[in-house]
Structure formats: C-alpha cells, structure tokens
Amino acid sequence: MSYSSSSMGSGSQTVRRQLEFGRTYVVKPKGKHQATIVWLHGLGDNGSSSSQLLENLPLPNVHIKWICPTAPTRPVALLGGFPRTAWFDVAELSEDGPDDVEGLDSSVAHIAKLLSTEPSDVTLGIGGFNMGAAAALYSASCYAQGRYGNGNPYPINLRAIVGLSGWLPCSGSLRNKIQSSHEAARRAAFLPILLCHGTSDDIVPFKHGENSSYFLSSAGFRYLTFKTYEGLGHYTVPKEMEEVCNWLHSMLGLKGSR
C-alpha cells in the first residue's frame, strides 16, 4: 500500500526543507551492547512513548540499544492539512498512487545518520509501528538498492527490519528496481524482515500488510516472516513485542540474552 502525496501544494518543498526532527530518546542496553535498533513511532506520536514501551520489554532485550527519534511536525494531507508528527506526507489509501519520496528520503537519511555513529562491532536494524513501519520498510528498499529514492548512496549495513501494522511505500516499482541489479538482489535476499499485522486493524487494514509481504517477497526479500494476529486492532500487545524481541535475538545472533 502507498499513501499518495499528490495533494501537496507547490510550496511543499520549501516547507519541507524547514522541517526539524524532534527529540531523540535512547534506551540503553542492560547488558553488553551487541545491537542497535532505531524504532520509529506512528503518525502523530513521538519518540518518548516508543522509549517507554521499549524500556519495559522482556528478555531477550538486554543487549539491544534502542534509538527512538521523533518525526517532524508537518501538515498531513490525510488529516486535511492538520499538522502532526509524521515521517512523510500521506493523502489517501492507494495501491498505486504516488508516494512522498522526498519526505521518505529525508526521514530515512535522518535514521541512517543516527545509526552511522554506532560502534562498528554492533549489528544495526530499524523497526517501527504504523507510519514508522512504512519508513522502516522503505529503509530496507534503500539498503537493498544501495541508494535513496533521489539516487544518493545509502550508507548503512542493515541486518534486521521490523514492521508492525504498517505498509510498504513505493511498492509498485520495487520489484523492477531490485531485480535489475545483481547486487541489490543479493542484499534483498539476505536481509531478515519481520512483518506483524492484526486482522482487525481498522486504521491500516490487514490486506495492506498482506500486500506488503507479497510485494517484498516478489521483489526478492526471501528472508521474510509475516505474522498474523487474529482479532488484533491497530495497536501492539505484549505477546507481539515479546515475539519481536525473540526474533531479533535469533536474527541478530545476540549472545547471552536468555
């Protein structure tokens, strides 16, 4: 699913350049630092609420450092132009509508900058909820292609992607972009991705989670897990977050967390 940004006005580029990201919160590892995950909040939320959620996660979370940035406050077309914290602009639910690539690139570059200063011996990943999940999945596509949507090089060596109750931006063109490059196809094939979606989600309907899984798989992301949560709405539950932690522990090869 993509959210179209076609209703943005001609002055949006000027406005966007002036946008500032909010405060970043950090949840330090309780054990030896082995992995760093940037966790991205949903539309209208902030990094503080993400950090509070992650602070109380169960084992095997002890060797993960969580970085929780806050998106810029921007007019959101989906909300009639009302300003909210958002990683990019969205206007309507659409499978093939245009995406706010400039806004996505800006946020994904900010995320990459946060990861760029991490120690070289820790593994790096990105996860998120709702719009944060969309930004995480867009990061995965940038990593596989080795560049942002604007063509600039993507600098981070990602090792895990988690998306909860989200969708895949720019899904329609992803397959051709990945399969046109041997190196992109190789990176896509070995990047672990976990998608989770509730069947009763009334904000980002379950079918969009299913479609995102299909588009990623057909593009060559073979290391993908799609977990269905029967009856779950547009929120997270302890069982889901525990499974996220277990999955990260396994995929990142964290030692001594259990």
Side-chain angles (χ1 to χ4, degrees):
M1 177 185 73
S2 65
Y3 282 144
S4 166
S5 58
S6 58
S7 65
M8 292 187 297
S10 60
S12 62
Q13 292 185 0
T14 301
V15 172
R16 181 170 296 139
R17 284 196 292 268
Q18 298 173 348
L19 294 176
E20 294 185 1
F21 289 87
R23 180 177 173 181
T24 296
Y25 299 80
V26 175
V27 179
K28 296 181 180 180
K30 299 176 178 66
K32 180 182 178 182
H33 183 195
Q34 297 180 16
T36 296
I37 307 294
V38 172
W39 191 265
L40 307 170
H41 62 76
L43 175 63
D45 210 339
N46 57 63
S48 176
S49 60
S50 296
S51 67
Q52 292 173 32
L53 169 68
L54 297 166
E55 183 75 55
N56 298 312
L57 285 181
L59 293 176
N61 178 46
V62 295
H63 296 312
I64 299 175
K65 172 184 175 182
W66 302 89
I67 300 177
C68 306
T70 300
T73 297
R74 70 178 79 213
V76 178
L78 184 68
L79 305 177
F82 187 80
R84 299 289 294 273
T85 51
W87 299 109
F88 50 94
D89 193 18
V90 296
E92 60 185 26
L93 290 174
S94 173
E95 287 295 338
D96 55 0
D99 292 88
D100 178 16
V101 175
E102 186 180 351
L104 283 160
D105 280 347
S106 175
S107 288
V108 170
H110 179 72
I111 297 160
K113 184 177 180 181
L114 292 173
L115 287 170
S116 68
T117 58
E118 290 302 289
S120 59
D121 61 342
V122 304
T123 51
L124 306 176
I126 303 171
F129 174 79
N130 177 263
M131 180 179 276
L137 294 177
Y138 184 76
S139 296
S141 69
C142 292
Y143 161 72
Q145 296 172 70
R147 61 182 183 271
Y148 297 100
N150 60 19
N152 291 337
Y154 183 80
I156 302 301
N157 186 19
L158 295 176
R159 284 293 171 262
I161 297 290
V162 177
L164 310 182
S165 306
W167 70 94
L168 172 65
C170 305
S171 58
S173 60
L174 182 61
R175 181 177 180 178
N176 288 339
K177 289 179 178 178
I178 298 297
Q179 295 185 350
S180 64
S181 163
H182 175 76
E183 184 61 23
R186 185 192 66 80
R187 284 193 292 261
F190 290 98
L191 177 64
I193 299 177
L194 173 65
L195 300 182
C196 301
H197 218 109
T199 60
S200 298
D201 193 328
D202 59 348
I203 303 299
V204 181
F206 177 75
K207 67 176 182 178
H208 296 306
E210 281 189 316
N211 289 345
S212 296
S213 176
Y214 168 77
F215 280 119
L216 286 164
S217 296
S218 64
F221 289 87
R222 303 174 185 173
Y223 215 170
L224 185 147
T225 301
F226 181 64
K227 292 190 71 67
T228 297
Y229 290 84
E230 291 292 336
L232 182 67
H234 196 67
Y235 50 85
T236 61
V237 290
K239 177 184 177 182
E240 182 182 33
M241 295 308 298
E242 183 175 359
E243 291 183 340
V244 167
C245 285
N246 288 331
W247 183 86
L248 285 170
H249 176 273
S250 174
M251 293 300 105
L252 299 177
L254 303 186
K255 306 297 183 182
S257 296
R258 293 187 186 278

